[in-house]
Every structure is written in structure tokens, then in C-alpha cells.
Amino acid sequence: MSNRKKFDANDPFDAIAQMTKTAIATAFGEVMAKAPAISSDPEIQYEALAIGLLVGACGCAIAMTAPGGHGELRAALLAHLPDAFDQARDIVDLPPLGRPS
């Protein structure tokens, strides 16, 4: 469905990326299960979960980067976001949306 290379568990990049994706998905699933007990409003749940996920991911990236590199980090995250979104869609057998115009 995409031009991504096939997952290789022996490739250190693939192994670390897979471990990270799995940990985030597991933690996110646990939070999603608890969200309805805090608010029954689906709009509040969606927005809070999405913002929490994005801020958490950015915070983790910031923790690995010296403050002087935060501008470059933000630019890199923004540049990689369309491909990351398409990779996530590919995982659930959806076609890529491609780069925004």
C-alpha cells in the first residue's frame, strides 16, 4: 500500500521505532479506556486525548534535545508529521493522504 520498506526486526532503527510505537499505543489505550469516567463528552475526550498525545510526544523529543536545538527539532517534527501520519494509516491498511499542498 505504501513505499515504506518492510519491517526488519534486526534493524536497530526498526526495532527501536517498533518498541516506541508499541509502548505509546499501549499507554494511549489505557488512557482512552479511562477517559469516559472523567468526561462523557466525546468532543472533550477527543481533543484532550489528541492534545495530550501530541504534547507528550513533543515533550519526549525535547527531553532528548539540548535547548539550543529545539527550533530545529520542531521543524523536523513538522516535516516528518505527514509521513508519520501516512505510516500510521498504512498500519491499519488505509492509503496515504500524501503531503499537504
Side-chain angles (χ1 to χ4, degrees), residues 16-28:
I16 293 169
Q18 183 63 35
M19 181 174 49
T20 304
K21 290 184 282 188
T22 300
I24 289 170
T26 300
F28 190 70

Side-chain angles (χ1 to χ4, degrees), residues 54-81:
L54 290 170
V55 172
C58 290
C60 291
I62 285 170
M64 299 185 303
T65 310
H70 288 178
E72 290 176 18
L73 172 62
R74 184 173 71 173
L77 290 170
L78 289 169
H80 289 295
L81 187 58

